[in-house]
Amino acid sequence: MDTVDTPLDLVIAGGRVIDPGQGRNGPLEVGICAGRIAAVASSLPRAAGTQVLDAGGRLVVPGLIDLHTHLFDGISALGVAADATCLPAGVTTAVDAGTAGEVAFGRFRRGWIDQARTRVFAFVNLSSIGLIIDDGLEFGDRELRYVNVDRIVETIAEHRDVCLGIKVRVARNQTAPPRLHRPLDRALEAAERSGTRLMVHITEPGIPLDSVFDRLRPGDIVTHLFHGRAETIIAADGHVLASLRRARERGVWTDVGHGGGSFTYRTARAALADGFEPDTISTDLHAFSLVGAMKDLPTTMTKFLALGMPLERVIAAATVNAARAISQPGVTGTLAVGGPADVAILEEVEGPVTLADVTGEGLEADRALRAWRTVRAGTVTTAGTVATEGSRTPA
Ligand SMILES: [Zn+2]
């Protein structure tokens, strides 16, 4: 048992802790002091002022990480407010997937990222105008007239603590002739020069996916893994593309990015049947997916349980794996002692419940994960609302 020198502010008791990064899975208590994890043990001491949160029968896991979100609300048509959508869903760390281009990134950082209670990281869009403009069907990042690699490199250098790399799409409208490989060329150039990673959107690819996967480097991230539009990751023989397997062996990360149109059971089932699970499960949370089949991260995780992925690996895909993908393994996705007290308490709601993919296909799950409480830096938030309970000040 960990020794506890100072009185604990909060003890989360009665739950089953699943912390794949720490190899923990069992009935344990989590002790929190001054916004940090102070101890994890089968029984922890209560002092006079210690608040006890009874998580009986629930799962106590590291605060979830959503690797693909759009949080520039009020500016981008895709944007949703971080704290109102992430914390109620058990998400304590969110990664914005290139909503802002280099032009707006500084403003996004100061006015949104720095103001959120949710910990937010972001990719800068390859296109200077990012995903701000929506002409009804397409977003501004198809405008590759506006790519300034020098400015991208400067922007990343200025915001290196929150900016993880460059978001690029290889969709048809970006790669239509004569541009073909140009978006990926420029994005790789910017990633090389800035010493960062790419997040690559592969829905409706306008160039062969082999030609994308073969160029990705260790640490780069493929998102929208299980989309069903145009060429998918499943080859004609029914197996996952060999180029994607090779990429993953090199250290490329594979991410779900459910979204409003980028997740199909058909592709996911074929990949899982071929022994290919996603490294990370993320939502592609935005103004439209939020009110569609995606809903939230626990719901997206539930779909993988229903597809047969074991619970511990589903939790890992939204915690430790995502933390490693963004090179923040000690900062997020863990209940390690000394780390930030970011915790998600999930309940398993008895089913059956039918969950749809983006095509409307339904899949029956015998249980559904739902966020019950979220703890961010030691403060408890009730799931479903953003009202805080002031856990640090005992009643
Ligand atoms: Zn997205």
mmCIF file of all heavy atoms in Angstrom, residues 57 96 146 148 264-265 285 314 347:
data_model
loop_
_atom_site.group_PDB
_atom_site.id
_atom_site.type_symbol
_atom_site.label_atom_id
_atom_site.label_comp_id
_atom_site.label_asym_id
_atom_site.label_seq_id
_atom_site.Cartn_x
_atom_site.Cartn_y
_atom_site.Cartn_z
ATOM 1 N N GLY A 57 -19.921 -0.339 -7.272
ATOM 2 C CA GLY A 57 -20.438 -1.015 -8.462
ATOM 3 C C GLY A 57 -20.044 -0.366 -9.772
ATOM 4 O O GLY A 57 -20.462 -0.826 -10.837
ATOM 5 N N ASP A 96 -8.005 18.751 -30.047
ATOM 6 C CA ASP A 96 -8.696 19.363 -31.176
ATOM 7 C C ASP A 96 -7.960 18.984 -32.464
ATOM 8 O O ASP A 96 -6.745 19.178 -32.581
ATOM 9 C CB ASP A 96 -8.738 20.886 -31.015
ATOM 10 C CG ASP A 96 -9.536 21.548 -32.124
ATOM 11 O OD1 ASP A 96 -8.972 21.738 -33.234
ATOM 12 O OD2 ASP A 96 -10.721 21.845 -31.900
ATOM 13 N N TYR A 146 -4.213 28.207 -49.494
ATOM 14 C CA TYR A 146 -3.740 28.849 -48.273
ATOM 15 C C TYR A 146 -2.951 27.861 -47.431
ATOM 16 O O TYR A 146 -3.450 27.340 -46.436
ATOM 17 C CB TYR A 146 -4.923 29.399 -47.480
ATOM 18 C CG TYR A 146 -5.855 30.259 -48.286
ATOM 19 C CD1 TYR A 146 -7.204 29.937 -48.396
ATOM 20 C CD2 TYR A 146 -5.386 31.387 -48.947
ATOM 21 C CE1 TYR A 146 -8.072 30.727 -49.141
ATOM 22 C CE2 TYR A 146 -6.240 32.180 -49.693
ATOM 23 C CZ TYR A 146 -7.583 31.840 -49.794
ATOM 24 O OH TYR A 146 -8.425 32.608 -50.529
ATOM 25 N N ASN A 148 0.855 27.750 -45.710
ATOM 26 C CA ASN A 148 2.087 28.491 -45.491
ATOM 27 C C ASN A 148 2.924 27.700 -44.478
ATOM 28 O O ASN A 148 2.734 27.821 -43.267
ATOM 29 C CB ASN A 148 1.754 29.894 -44.964
ATOM 30 C CG ASN A 148 2.999 30.759 -44.827
ATOM 31 O OD1 ASN A 148 4.088 30.259 -44.580
ATOM 32 N ND2 ASN A 148 2.814 32.064 -44.985
ATOM 33 N N THR A 264 -18.183 2.905 -39.541
ATOM 34 C CA THR A 264 -19.126 1.862 -39.946
ATOM 35 C C THR A 264 -18.771 0.547 -39.265
ATOM 36 O O THR A 264 -17.603 0.195 -39.125
ATOM 37 C CB THR A 264 -19.101 1.626 -41.473
ATOM 38 O OG1 THR A 264 -17.816 1.116 -41.842
ATOM 39 C CG2 THR A 264 -19.379 2.910 -42.245
ATOM 40 N N TYR A 265 -19.808 -0.160 -38.838
ATOM 41 C CA TYR A 265 -19.589 -1.495 -38.266
ATOM 42 C C TYR A 265 -18.972 -2.420 -39.315
ATOM 43 O O TYR A 265 -18.185 -3.296 -38.995
ATOM 44 C CB TYR A 265 -20.907 -2.084 -37.776
ATOM 45 C CG TYR A 265 -21.470 -1.393 -36.555
ATOM 46 C CD1 TYR A 265 -22.799 -0.985 -36.515
ATOM 47 C CD2 TYR A 265 -20.672 -1.158 -35.438
ATOM 48 C CE1 TYR A 265 -23.325 -0.368 -35.394
ATOM 49 C CE2 TYR A 265 -21.185 -0.539 -34.323
ATOM 50 C CZ TYR A 265 -22.526 -0.140 -34.303
ATOM 51 O OH TYR A 265 -23.030 0.470 -33.195
ATOM 52 N N LEU A 285 -15.719 14.479 -32.077
ATOM 53 C CA LEU A 285 -16.797 15.291 -31.487
ATOM 54 C C LEU A 285 -16.914 16.620 -32.230
ATOM 55 O O LEU A 285 -15.950 17.366 -32.340
ATOM 56 C CB LEU A 285 -16.454 15.561 -30.012
ATOM 57 C CG LEU A 285 -17.315 16.555 -29.247
ATOM 58 C CD1 LEU A 285 -18.713 16.014 -29.012
ATOM 59 C CD2 LEU A 285 -16.642 16.893 -27.914
ATOM 60 N N VAL A 314 -10.583 -1.661 -24.334
ATOM 61 C CA VAL A 314 -11.395 -0.490 -24.686
ATOM 62 C C VAL A 314 -11.010 0.700 -23.796
ATOM 63 O O VAL A 314 -10.852 1.826 -24.271
ATOM 64 C CB VAL A 314 -12.906 -0.829 -24.576
ATOM 65 C CG1 VAL A 314 -13.750 0.440 -24.614
ATOM 66 C CG2 VAL A 314 -13.315 -1.773 -25.705
ATOM 67 N N GLU A 347 -20.466 4.078 -15.284
ATOM 68 C CA GLU A 347 -21.371 3.007 -14.886
ATOM 69 C C GLU A 347 -21.694 2.148 -16.092
ATOM 70 O O GLU A 347 -21.683 2.611 -17.225
ATOM 71 C CB GLU A 347 -22.631 3.530 -14.192
ATOM 72 C CG GLU A 347 -23.326 4.682 -14.837
ATOM 73 C CD GLU A 347 -24.389 5.275 -13.901
ATOM 74 O OE1 GLU A 347 -24.510 4.790 -12.772
ATOM 75 O OE2 GLU A 347 -25.074 6.207 -14.325
#
